[in-house]
Amino acid sequence: MTVERLRQAGVDIVRICYSDLIGVERGKDVFLDRLPEHGLTFCQAVYYTSPQADVVPVPGGLDRGLPDIVVKPDLATLAVLPWQEGVAHCLADAYWPDGRPFPEDPRQVLRGAVARLGELGLTAVAGPELEYFLINPDGTRYDGGPGNVYVVGNKGDQGGHLIATMRALKWLGVTMGCHEFSPGQFEINLTHSEALDAADRAFRLKSAVKELARRDGLNATFMARPFNDEGGSGFHVHLSCLDDEGRNVFDDPASPYGLSRTARHAIGGVIAHAPALAALLNPTINSYKRFGPDTLAPWLNDWGLDNRSAMIRIPPERGDAARLEVRLGDASANPYLGIAALLAAVYLGIRDKAEPPEPLEGYGYDPERSPTLPMTLPAALDAFEADAELAEVLGKEFTAAFLSYKRDEAERFSRHVTDWELREYAYHL
């Protein structure tokens, strides 16, 4: 959409936004007639600001005196916001003041991973699925009630949140939505597209769902597991690769399971690098409270044919629809970094001709059959730090910043006195 068409549509404000390190939307509102071609300056430390507004001492931030980065709008992503009159939304990329791409910008990290797959003549296609909970202002679950998975209408959504949200976000490629397993939990699916576009739409979806919920006096949270008595929210990614002629290279009717060697190597790459992937797809302390037997949240490193108890599920479709469904991620993951990490693992698997183990048969969650993934954030960070190949694809500067930021999170939590500790110890000890 051109600037002139925006003006004709009554738009006078452009919201220029980008993702910080943990997937929080940052940006500025700019008058349309002042839209800068050269970009907007921001303090680099915004990438390292914690949810509690602390500036984490990541190298290159506080130690350099909080320097600037330049955020340049990607005008190809301009879109009018249906719920806010006169406002358009535009995504942006971050650069150093001298014009070099800022290596810790999640969108730039994903661009790099896309380029590495491109070296193999492949284009990645991704289809994101995101789950979230709605919470009332008093902290209770929206429209609570057990057994509402896949129910439709007022029974599980008396306020009509899901339908209204789907209609408002149709422009993002929303295909369907449903009430998920837990009370007050919903899922929205996005159509598949090339990886950067898919991540853009997933990032915008998360921000928009929260914005629309706030408008209705609710809080939408993509936190991995917000309640002790319920399961968590996932970020599943359907992933395939196309060749230069647009053919799905994962399909091969003549090979076992109808999957090509390329698909097999892609599975092998994800399996080989899954411990490190956990740091990016399960990026919070809370993420690891989502795991455990019978949760349908994968905590073992395995794959299976149309098997939802496996970390990688191969849906039954073949031909143009042949794909992996990587179920490792939770909804708190930054879509750019989660998809970038998957592409990096797929690239390494195809490049190195990695072979996966035999597929899981039957119901999983048996640690005697498959290796256990990291079960805490510090363990996942250790695995990421040890995976030099993955770090090289994602970028060493990004990896160092991410590890510093997340190790600070783990350290702060280790010193924090929780409600559980007070209940467990305060009265008796």
Side-chain angles (χ1 to χ4, degrees):
M1 181 173 285
T2 65
V3 171
E4 184 55 37
R5 287 182 63 187
L6 287 176
R7 187 174 289 111
Q8 293 172 1
V11 169
D12 66 335
I13 295 287
V14 177
R15 182 162 294 161
I16 300 174
C17 294
Y18 58 97
S19 166
D20 72 3
L21 210 59
I22 59 173
V24 174
E25 184 180 62
R26 309 286 182 175
K28 292 183 180 180
D29 290 338
V30 181
F31 278 112
L32 182 63
D33 58 5
R34 301 298 299 272
L35 192 64
E37 295 181 2
H38 58 276
L40 302 167
T41 56
F42 287 83
C43 177
Q44 179 189 335
V46 72
Y47 284 91
Y48 321 133
T49 303
S50 79
Q52 297 302 310
D54 300 311
V55 178
V56 179
V58 171
L62 286 170
D63 61 339
R64 290 188 57 219
L66 304 174
D68 271 350
I69 46 111
V70 178
V71 171
K72 296 183 180 181
D74 180 353
L75 298 183
T77 68
L78 275 168
V80 178
L81 291 180
W83 62 86
Q84 193 157 13
E85 184 178 357
V87 178
H89 192 273
C90 187
L91 295 173
D93 295 298
Y95 297 84
W96 291 114
D98 64 7
R100 291 175 294 131
F102 181 55
E104 294 154 34
D105 172 16
R107 202 167 187 248
Q108 299 281 27
V109 173
L110 178 52
R111 285 184 187 278
V114 168
R116 295 300 286 269
L117 265 177
E119 295 172 5
L120 302 178
L122 298 175
T123 298
V125 173
E129 299 176 353
L130 281 154
E131 297 171 350
Y132 60 95
F133 280 88
L134 280 182
I135 302 175
N136 293 317
D138 62 1
T140 60
R141 274 161 281 194
Y142 168 89
D143 254 6
N148 275 342
V149 60
Y150 294 158
V151 302
V152 293
N154 291 331
K155 183 183 178 189
D157 186 13
Q158 194 169 14
H161 155 83
L162 181 62
I163 295 296
T165 300
M166 289 175 62
R167 285 174 173 155
L169 302 184
K170 185 178 180 181
W171 61 285
L172 289 177
V174 170
T175 60
M176 64 188 77
C178 67
H179 194 293
E180 251 298 334
F181 189 86
S182 299
Q185 187 186 37
F186 298 87
E187 177 181 302
I188 292 180
N189 298 348
L190 296 171
T191 189
H192 59 278
S193 66
E194 291 190 12
L196 180 60
D197 178 72
D200 281 343
R201 291 183 294 110
F203 170 69
R204 283 174 140 168
L205 175 80
K206 291 180 70 172
S207 299
V209 167
K210 294 182 75 67
E211 184 81 358
L212 292 168
R214 288 190 182 101
R215 185 186 65 178
D216 295 335
L218 300 166
N219 178 33
T221 181
F222 292 86
M223 182 178 172
R225 188 185 177 193
F227 302 105
N228 282 314
D229 59 344
E230 295 293 342
S233 294
F235 170 44
H236 300 165
V237 181
H238 293 252
L239 190 64
S240 60
C241 288
L242 308 180
D243 63 16
D244 291 336
E245 297 181 4
R247 293 175 298 197
N248 187 327
V249 299
F250 284 179
D251 179 66
D252 183 358
S255 295
Y257 317 120
L259 298 172
S260 69
R261 290 182 181 178
T262 302
R264 195 169 67 243
H265 297 328
I267 296 168
V270 175
I271 293 285
H273 297 279
L277 295 180
L280 295 145
L281 285 162
N282 310 118
T284 72
I285 292 289
N286 177 257
S287 293
Y288 298 84
K289 298 177 181 180
R290 171 175 164 262
F291 293 147
D294 302 320
T295 60
L296 294 180
W299 52 284
L300 298 176
N301 192 0
D302 50 19
W303 72 284
L305 301 166
D306 198 12
N307 190 332
R308 283 180 171 82
S309 65
M311 182 189 72
I312 303 173
R313 168 180 172 256
I314 308 300
E317 296 89 353
R318 295 294 182 268
D320 291 341
R323 65 195 187 278
L324 323 181
E325 181 194 6
V326 183
R327 300 172 60 83
L328 175 61
D330 69 68
S332 67
N334 183 327
Y336 292 111
L337 300 182
I339 293 176
L342 288 177
L343 298 195
V346 166
Y347 162 76
L348 292 168
I350 296 172
R351 185 197 70 180
D352 300 338
K353 296 180 171 55
E355 289 290 344
E358 290 299 309
L360 171 70
E361 293 186 4
Y363 197 55
Y365 304 122
D366 181 354
E368 294 186 1
R369 298 166 65 188
S370 303
T372 302
L373 291 163
M375 296 300 285
T376 66
L377 179 60
L381 295 174
D382 288 344
F384 183 32
E385 186 171 25
D387 195 329
E389 289 184 314
L390 197 74
E392 191 274 329
V393 176
L394 296 176
K396 293 181 179 179
E397 291 172 285
F398 159 74
T399 300
F402 185 85
L403 287 170
S404 294
Y405 182 95
K406 284 295 173 178
R407 290 201 188 281
D408 177 85
E409 178 179 329
E411 181 183 354
R412 286 187 290 115
F413 179 76
S414 71
R415 298 194 306 267
H416 183 74
V417 179
T418 66
D419 292 344
W420 184 91
E421 292 168 283
L422 285 172
R423 287 196 306 271
E424 188 78 3
Y425 307 129
Y427 180 75
H428 289 289
L429 302 182

